[in-house]
């Protein structure tokens, strides 16, 4: 069975000019210092991970959203996954 991933609670996504930032609020603001800067693709991935889904589900959703094969989206998804795991804001959840 595939792992299901979800973002930590308490982040709000805001658009600033052409880019996006994820801002911690509530409890997240006490444990996370700073902002997460995202481009449009990163913001779409961020929104989907707020709901929670497997990596495969995320690839399928992103490929449908951008009209590309899942393999074409894989590098972007992996890059965002790595960044969010490094920041400790992406966690594995029970299904």
């Amino acid at each position: 069975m595939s792992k299901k991933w979800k973002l930590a609670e308490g982040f709000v996504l805001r658009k600033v000019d052409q880019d996006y930032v994820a801002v911690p609020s509530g409890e997240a603001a006490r444990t996370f210092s700073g902002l997460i800067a995202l481009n449009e693709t990163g913001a779409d991935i961020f929104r989907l991970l707020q709901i929670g889904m497997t990596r495969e589900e995320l690839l399928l959703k992103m490929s449908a959203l951008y009209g590309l094969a899942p393999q074409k989206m894989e590098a972007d998804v992996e890059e965002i996954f790595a960044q969010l795991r490094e920041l400790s804001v992406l966690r594995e959840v029970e299904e």
Side-chain angles (χ1 to χ4, degrees), residues 14-28:
R14 297 281 186 245
K15 186 170 184 176
V16 179
D17 292 324
Q18 299 297 324
D19 294 316
Y20 293 83
V21 292
V23 182
S25 65
E27 184 63 31

Side-chain angles (χ1 to χ4, degrees), residues 41-90:
T41 304
D44 289 332
I45 293 169
F46 195 91
R47 283 187 203 98
L48 291 169
L49 288 173
Q50 285 180 312
I51 300 165
M53 58 186 55
T54 66
R55 180 183 167 280
E56 293 77 16
E57 289 170 331
L58 181 61
L59 280 171
L60 289 174
K61 294 265 187 190
M62 290 298 294
S63 66
L65 183 63
Y66 284 87
L68 298 170
Q71 298 83 357
K72 298 265 187 197
M73 299 301 305
E74 196 164 11
D76 287 333
V77 168
E78 288 304 319
E79 182 179 342
I80 296 294
F81 257 66
Q83 290 173 357
L84 295 175
R85 280 194 304 258
E86 186 176 314
L87 294 170
S88 299
V89 297
L90 184 63

Side-chain angles (χ1 to χ4, degrees), residues 9-12 22-36:
E9 299 289 327
F11 284 86
V12 179
V23 182
S25 65
E27 184 63 31
R30 288 187 272 284
T31 59
F32 185 86
S33 175
L35 306 171
I36 302 171

